Every structure is written in structure tokens, then in C-alpha cells.
Amino acid sequence: MSNRQILQAMSGLMAGMFVAILAGTVVSNALPRIIADLGASQSSYTWVVTAELLAMTATVPLWGKLSDLYNQKLLLQLSLGMFVVGSLLAGFSHDVGLLIFSRVAQGVGAGGLTALAQVVMAAIIPPRRLGRYAGIFGAVFAVGTVAGPLIGGVLVDTSWLGWRWCFFIGVPFALLAIVLLQATLKLPTVRREAKIDFLGAFFIVAGVCALLIWVSLAGNQFDWGSWQTAALTGGGLVLLVAAVFVESRVAEPIIPLGIFRNRTVSLTTLASLLVGVAMFGGTVFLSQYFQVSLGKSPTIAGLMSLPMILGLLISSTVAGQIISATGRWKIYLVLGAVAMTVGLALLSTIGAETHFGLLSIYMAVMGIGVGMLMQNLVLAAQNDVPAAELGAATSVLSFFRSLGGTIGTSVLGAILANRVATEMTKGLKEAGVPAGSGRSAGHGVPDMTTLPAPMREIVEQAYGVATGDLFLVATPFALLALIAVLFIKEKPLKDTSGMERLAQESDSVVGEKLIAPRSAEAGAGSSSAQVG
């Protein structure tokens, strides 16, 4: 495909990716109003957030496997259709039960978009040329991440729109993506006999959901050391062991366990998990730090994250262009892991008095590292697997990155809450304020506008110290990702796309089947001649 054809095909893919990112970010500033309007509880607040993430993370491997068996274009359009249905149900919800169900539908659709967009990219673009298009992924990721909370805040504050438009706004983009994909994406339909491993799929989804529910609710709904923790972790591990047993014995496994014999896939998967913990687990609390510790509005808080997003965008674009020009990629994985580790270590020094200029440099360093690392891990894995396993390998990396992000967000969130409580108790004691005065501020995120000046200063200091400690905890995970990356062996980037490699592999298999009978006939002929 020419560059123009690739860019045309990518227009629909990028519209779909934007929809998937927007689904997770646009509701962040709107959730308090949504829960209040529906008369729901704090636990419902948690489930509205968790339901979409659970469904997306758990279904990514299923979409990846389906992309190896069926038409990828049709699957993309199906995932977009599910997202549209989920968005409309969410927008018209009048009770929290329907809203949570609709978020599950949105998550299933978003899981398909997350897995399939990168699979299709690998199918139409050779690894050697893939780097130059990584910047477009970075741009869509940056715009969706920054614009989502800003759009959500504006919609909620606009009386004639309201929070329901946080869900409706993604529908036009999804419909546009379906139309663009139909018009621009030309993928062959490879028809072959296939069996879906439904039992393995059930065990995988059930096991992952049990563990994700545990890390999402532990520390909030129940203690880390409780019978609920034992039941969810024990049940989840048993289900995953059953999944491994089933997957090792079926003809068409959802996750082919054989791909983990590939050193590159195993190491990039481990690195993706650690990147998810370090990046998502650390940065998700930055907006809260801006608003609570630095006293900024939600809109300003969204804009303050621009240095990190711009660092990600620039580094992914520049590194991608250089990789396409030179064919060398490992050095950028190593530099990215180093930059991410250094950025997290620098962010661990922040507090309530940190100057924004210094904070911007720290965020930019981390963004540069993530930009060089995240997309190129996928490139390394896609370059080193057979074309028939592109979907499985890509979805495994996306799955473990999302899993790491979920674990990191939940665990580091619990650490943040405990650290804030400790710092506030310490601050109240030093100020001579009765402990009961800070009780209301200790539950959830405090409304800084209602607090008296002395109390506000204590809360700002507590959140500043706690957020710095959060990045300190995340730094070792980035360091472990660096160690994993160092052991990845660099291999030359292939000059053929996934479709071309699949055709070559198919021709090779057909050739072997044709040669075998002829060899047998020749052998039989020579035997007959010898007998005669």
C-alpha cells in the first residue's frame, strides 16, 4: 500500500481509537454529578468506573484471537457498533444498574478497538515502515487523554447539555469510524476452518475479572487482609490455572501458550505489564494533585498535564521516523525505559510548593520515556511472530498493559489514601487542631473551597507529600521494565506487511502439502522399479 492509501485506512482506525480513549476519560469530571443525579451510592461510583475497565481488559485477548480467525475489518466495525449501543444506553440511563451494564458494553467495544487497531496496522504496514506512523497513535492518545476531562467538565457545566452528552458525544465519532473503515480499509477475508475455545475464554475472563475486582475494591469496600480477598484471589488463580490447562490442550486456544516460548514476546509482555503499573498507576493521580495540592480548577488541571502529553507525542513521532529510516529499534526501548525511570524518580520529589516550571520538566521527561517505550514494545513483538499469530501477540501485550494499569491504579490509590490520612493526622497534631476537625476531609477527595485556610494548608501539604511518595513507589516498576528491555534481542525489521507474510506462510504450507504426495509417489515408483 502507498503512504496515501495507508493514511486513508488509518483515518477510520484513528477515529475508532479516539472513541476508545474518550470513553474512559470524558466521564472523569462528570461522575460526581452523574451519581448524585441518579441517587446512587459511593460503591456504585466505583463500579461505574470499574465496569468499563474490567470489560475492556478481560476481552482484549478474545478480540485478538478472533482477529486471527475472521475478517479484521468486520470485527472492528462490530466493536464500534457495540460501543455505540453501550453509549446510547448509558446516555438514556435512569438508574445506576442500567448505567453499569451499559459501561460493560462500552468496555467490550473499547477492548475490540484497543486490540484490533494495532493488529490491522501490523497487517497493512511492514514493521520497517510502521515506526513513521507511531506519531499518529501518539497524537490520538494525547488528544483523547487531554481533551476527554476538559470536554466532560464543559458538558456537565453547560445547562442545556448535561452529563448525558458525555456518553452521546462518542457516538458520531464511532459512526464516522464505521463509514471510514468501510470506504478505506481493504483487507482480504481469509476463510479457514476454526473453532472458538469457549471454555478457555470463560476461564480467562472469569479469572481476570475476579483478580481485577479484588484490586479495584480492596482497601475501599473491604480490607486487603479479609475473607473477600482470599475468596477473590484464590478463585481467580484457580480459574486461571484451569484456563492454562484448557489452552494447552485445544486446537485453537484463545491465547496460544506457545508464543511465550518466543523470548521477545515474553520480555515485551513483562515490560508492558510493568509500564502499565508505573505509568497509569502514577499519572492517574496527577490531576487530583493539581486540583487538591496546587489548588487549580479542573480545566486548568487538564491543561497542566500538557508537558507530559507533548513529550509523549514528540518522542514517539521522532523515534518512529528514525526507526523507519535506520531499522534500529532496541536503543529507543532502552532510552525510553531510562527516561521513564528518571521521570518517575524526579516526580517523587514533588510537594505542595513545587514550581510548575520544574514540574513541567519532570512530566516531560516521563512523557518522552513513555513515548519511546510503549508503542515500540508492540513493534518488537509484532516483528518477531508469524503473521498468523499477530493478533494474539498484539492483544497479549495490550491485555497485560491494561492489567498493569488497573493493578497500579488500585494499589497505588490505596497507598495514597493511607499516606494522606497519616500526613493529615501529623499536620493536625502539629497545628494543635482537634483531630475531629479533619474527619470530613479524610473521606474521599475534599472540597477545597469549603475548608478554612489552616485546614486547607494541611490538606494541600498532605496530598503533596502523598503524591510524591506514590511516584517513589512506582519508580522500581519502571526500573524492572528497563531490566526486561535490556534482555530483548534486537532483530532486523521485516519489510513485508502482515498480509504479505500471511500469504507467504499460506503458500509455504500449501507447497509442503503438494510436495509430500509427489514425494510419496516418486518413492513408490522407485520401489516398484526396484521390485520389477
Side-chain angles (χ1 to χ4, degrees), residues 133-216:
Y133 300 99
I136 300 177
F137 269 102
V140 172
F141 180 85
V143 171
T145 304
V146 174
L150 296 177
I151 293 171
V154 170
L155 291 173
V156 170
D157 291 334
T158 304
S159 59
W160 52 277
L161 289 173
W163 62 263
R164 296 183 185 278
W165 279 93
C166 291
F167 301 107
F168 292 147
I169 194 171
V171 173
F173 290 101
L175 294 175
L176 174 64
I178 292 174
V179 174
L180 288 173
L181 287 169
Q182 185 62 36
T184 62
L185 186 60
K186 308 298 181 185
L187 289 175
T189 301
V190 180
R191 299 189 181 277
R192 64 188 183 93
E193 292 185 8
K195 294 180 180 179
I196 300 297
D197 174 25
F198 291 106
L199 183 60
F202 168 76
F203 283 140
I204 291 171
V205 172
V208 169
C209 283
L211 294 179
L212 289 181
I213 289 169
W214 168 59
V215 298
S216 299

Side-chain angles (χ1 to χ4, degrees), residues 10-249:
M10 283 183 64
S11 61
L13 290 176
M14 294 305 99
M17 282 293 292
F18 181 72
V19 161
I21 295 166
L22 201 65
T25 59
V26 74
V27 298
S28 58
N29 285 337
L31 272 175
R33 184 76 57 84
I34 294 172
I35 296 301
D37 283 356
L38 296 179
S41 63
Q42 179 63 36
S43 61
S44 299
Y45 184 106
T46 303
W47 275 107
V48 171
V49 177
T50 307
E52 195 247 355
L53 191 58
L54 278 173
M56 183 181 76
T57 304
T59 56
V60 161
L62 307 184
W63 286 109
K65 180 59 184 176
L66 289 172
S67 73
D68 286 335
L69 301 180
Y70 301 110
N71 186 274
Q72 296 163 356
K73 174 178 172 179
L74 182 62
L75 290 171
L76 264 174
Q77 291 173 318
L78 177 62
S79 64
L80 283 164
M82 293 190 68
F83 180 85
V84 169
V85 171
S87 298
L88 292 175
L89 285 174
F92 288 115
S93 295
H94 289 283
D95 64 82
V96 74
L98 180 58
L99 179 61
I100 292 172
F101 173 78
S102 66
R103 291 288 284 172
V104 171
Q106 277 189 311
V108 173
L113 294 168
T114 301
L116 295 169
Q118 296 187 76
V119 173
V120 172
M121 287 283 287
I124 64 176
I125 307 173
R128 182 63 187 265
R129 295 169 61 193
L130 191 59
R132 71 178 63 175
Y133 300 99
I136 300 177
F137 269 102
V140 172
F141 180 85
V143 171
T145 304
V146 174
L150 296 177
I151 293 171
V154 170
L155 291 173
V156 170
D157 291 334
T158 304
S159 59
W160 52 277
L161 289 173
W163 62 263
R164 296 183 185 278
W165 279 93
C166 291
F167 301 107
F168 292 147
I169 194 171
V171 173
F173 290 101
L175 294 175
L176 174 64
I178 292 174
V179 174
L180 288 173
L181 287 169
Q182 185 62 36
T184 62
L185 186 60
K186 308 298 181 185
L187 289 175
T189 301
V190 180
R191 299 189 181 277
R192 64 188 183 93
E193 292 185 8
K195 294 180 180 179
I196 300 297
D197 174 25
F198 291 106
L199 183 60
F202 168 76
F203 283 140
I204 291 171
V205 172
V208 169
C209 283
L211 294 179
L212 289 181
I213 289 169
W214 168 59
V215 298
S216 299
L217 301 184
N220 296 317
Q221 303 299 313
F222 49 82
D223 293 332
W224 288 97
S226 63
W227 69 266
Q228 292 97 329
T229 291
L232 287 171
T233 55
L237 291 175
V238 168
L239 288 167
L240 290 178
V241 169
V244 171
F245 179 81
V246 172
E247 293 291 273
S248 64
R249 282 162 173 75

